[in-house]
Every structure is written in C-alpha cells, then in structure tokens.
Amino acid sequence: MEANSKQHVHAVFESIAPKYDLMNDLLSFRRHKAWRKFTMKKMNVQPGQTALDICCGTCDWTIALAKASGTGAITGLDFSQNMLDIGMDKIKGEKLDNQIKLVQGNAMELPFEDNSFDYVTIGFGLRNVPNYLQVLKEMERVVKPGGSVVCLELSKPGWQPFKAVYYLYFEQILPLLGKLVAKRFQEYKWLPDSLKQFLDMKQLSELFRKAELKQVSAYPLFGGVAALHIGKKEKKQQ
C-alpha cells in the first residue's frame, strides 16, 4: 500500500470514529458482539493474563479482555487518536483505566518488546493494514512463547446464492447506509473495496503459518461472512 493510501485509511477512520460503533452493527449484520463472545470463549482468558489488542478502534474488545483477565495488564493500540479518545471514554465509564493502557501506534511496527503478552488480538483491522504478513509477524514477535495470536475478521462466504447477496450488500447497500447514518458515503465505499482485496479463510490460515504460528485453527462465522483464526507461538525447547 502506498503512502498516500495509508494516509487515506488513516483519514477514513479519523472521520468515521463518532459513528464507528453504529456502523459496525450495520457492517456485521449486528453480529459482531456475538462473534466476539464466541472468540472470547475459544480464547479462555485466565485471571491475571495479559493482552495486546491492536487496531483496537473504540476498544470494545480491549474492554472484554480486561474484564476476562480481571487483574492482568491490557494494552490497546490504534493509529487513530479519534478512535482511542472514544475508547478511553468507554474505559473510564467501565472504571478500567487503571488496568487498560492505550497507545497510538503502528501495527506494522509494534512498540513493544519480544515475548511481552499472553494474547495478541486484532479485530476487524487486519484487512486495513498495508501488509498482512508483516502485522502477523509483529504479533507473533510480541506474544509470549505458548501464547496466542487471535484474528477476528470479515471473510468471504463461498456458498451461492448467499455469496451474491453478501456482495450486493457490501458493494451497493452498505455505502448508502454509510451516507445515511454516518454522512460518509466515500469512506464506506472504500470498506467493501478493502474486503474484496482481502484473503479467504484458507489463505489467512496459510499466512498465519508463514508468520511462524503453530496449531492454527480457523472457524467460519455466519456462513463465512466472518472468520476467527487462532495460532500459537511455539515454546522454545529447553
């Protein structure tokens, strides 16, 4: 992705931040909360465990991780300060500001030491980064040996006629909803374009393996509209 494209992505998310949560409901057919609940069940976060949530947006998943851990330090990272500001308001409302730290930063160059977190997560953000593999490698780098890299993302259903209806929604209806609800037609026209360029479930599983992640599991959600991928960082041999 060229520099001007990166700037465009940044501008999109800065501008849609106030309506981001509402538009996420529309983007996922109001299923994103159920998908995240399923993901948290699969992750089975234990009390005191730590997590980094990258591309954390307005911090819904960051907050869920903090509640699951109870006492573990949770970090959220995003490149949009407007998103982080909305997220911090939510965090303070939940009285979790002593547990959660927010960082404005780049998912391609995570500002953290190797082997720092029990979990590293990314929710609905991977398709918006310039280099998917680079981000997964960075996630693998900062997760602890034996820890998990977790990606919840929109995917590509393979079953017709559902596939045709799905693309009609994303290419024609969603941008109009963006114009009506968020007053942002062009920004929501860009989102389906990012989805078209993204990987299907099998391709993303292979990319997890290229990032040196092991025991890769993939779960299709809502007919393949979304997918959950989980990979483990290999423990060093003694």
Side-chain angles (χ1 to χ4, degrees), residues 187-203:
E187 286 83 343
Y188 279 92
K189 185 71 180 76
W190 175 81
L191 286 171
D193 291 341
S194 75
L195 183 62
K196 272 195 287 189
Q197 295 165 16
F198 195 56
L199 310 173
D200 64 26
M201 199 168 74
K202 289 181 181 178
Q203 290 169 326

Side-chain angles (χ1 to χ4, degrees), residues 1 3-15 79-80 128-129 190:
M1 188 181 288
N4 63 347
S5 297
K6 285 193 282 186
Q7 290 167 1
H8 174 64
V9 173
H10 184 264
V12 165
F13 283 94
E14 287 282 89
S15 68
F79 69 166
S80 167
N128 300 318
V129 303
W190 175 81

Side-chain angles (χ1 to χ4, degrees), residues 79-119:
F79 69 166
S80 167
Q81 188 59 50
N82 286 353
M83 291 283 194
L84 292 174
D85 289 345
I86 292 169
M88 182 50 73
D89 286 342
K90 290 183 186 177
I91 288 164
K92 287 179 178 176
E94 298 279 356
K95 297 182 170 55
L96 292 170
D97 43 318
N98 288 329
Q99 186 185 0
I100 297 174
K101 176 185 177 184
L102 297 185
V103 176
Q104 185 179 24
N106 184 357
M108 302 270 290
E109 299 174 36
L110 296 174
F112 306 105
E113 298 290 328
D114 297 359
N115 310 318
S116 294
F117 305 93
D118 293 307
Y119 292 92

Side-chain angles (χ1 to χ4, degrees), residues 1-62:
M1 188 181 288
E2 298 174 357
N4 63 347
S5 297
K6 285 193 282 186
Q7 290 167 1
H8 174 64
V9 173
H10 184 264
V12 165
F13 283 94
E14 287 282 89
S15 68
I16 67 175
K19 298 284 189 179
Y20 180 74
D21 290 339
L22 177 59
M23 289 305 298
N24 258 355
D25 282 343
L26 297 172
L27 199 64
S28 69
F29 310 97
R30 299 198 72 183
R31 298 300 299 160
H32 64 103
K33 292 178 182 177
W35 297 340
R36 191 165 58 247
K37 189 175 180 181
F38 173 82
T39 299
M40 291 297 293
K41 187 175 180 181
K42 288 293 181 186
M43 289 171 66
N44 193 26
V45 177
Q46 297 300 301
Q49 288 188 312
T50 60
L52 167 65
D53 185 24
I54 71 171
C55 302
C56 65
T58 58
C59 300
D60 284 349
W61 198 357
T62 323

Side-chain angles (χ1 to χ4, degrees), residues 89-214:
D89 286 342
K90 290 183 186 177
I91 288 164
K92 287 179 178 176
E94 298 279 356
K95 297 182 170 55
L96 292 170
D97 43 318
N98 288 329
Q99 186 185 0
I100 297 174
K101 176 185 177 184
L102 297 185
V103 176
Q104 185 179 24
N106 184 357
M108 302 270 290
E109 299 174 36
L110 296 174
F112 306 105
E113 298 290 328
D114 297 359
N115 310 318
S116 294
F117 305 93
D118 293 307
Y119 292 92
V120 183
T121 63
I122 183 167
F124 307 107
L126 188 62
R127 73 184 187 283
N128 300 318
V129 303
N131 186 314
Y132 311 140
L133 182 57
Q134 173 65 20
V135 170
L136 290 175
K137 284 181 175 179
E138 277 291 274
M139 294 173 78
E140 191 273 343
R141 178 182 67 79
V142 302
V143 79
K144 294 176 182 178
S148 297
V149 168
V150 184
C151 175
L152 179 59
E153 183 57 274
L154 296 175
S155 191
K156 296 179 176 180
W159 176 67
Q160 293 284 17
F162 182 63
K163 183 177 179 180
V165 174
Y166 171 79
Y167 280 107
L168 173 68
Y169 176 78
F170 270 93
E171 292 175 10
Q172 305 295 329
I173 300 170
L174 180 67
L176 293 175
L177 289 172
K179 184 177 183 180
L180 287 169
V181 177
K183 306 294 188 282
R184 296 276 187 244
F185 179 80
Q186 287 303 321
E187 286 83 343
Y188 279 92
K189 185 71 180 76
W190 175 81
L191 286 171
D193 291 341
S194 75
L195 183 62
K196 272 195 287 189
Q197 295 165 16
F198 195 56
L199 310 173
D200 64 26
M201 199 168 74
K202 289 181 181 178
Q203 290 169 326
L204 185 51
S205 294
E206 186 55 38
L207 213 60
F208 262 60
R209 296 184 184 99
K210 283 186 179 178
E212 304 298 325
L213 291 159
K214 311 299 181 185

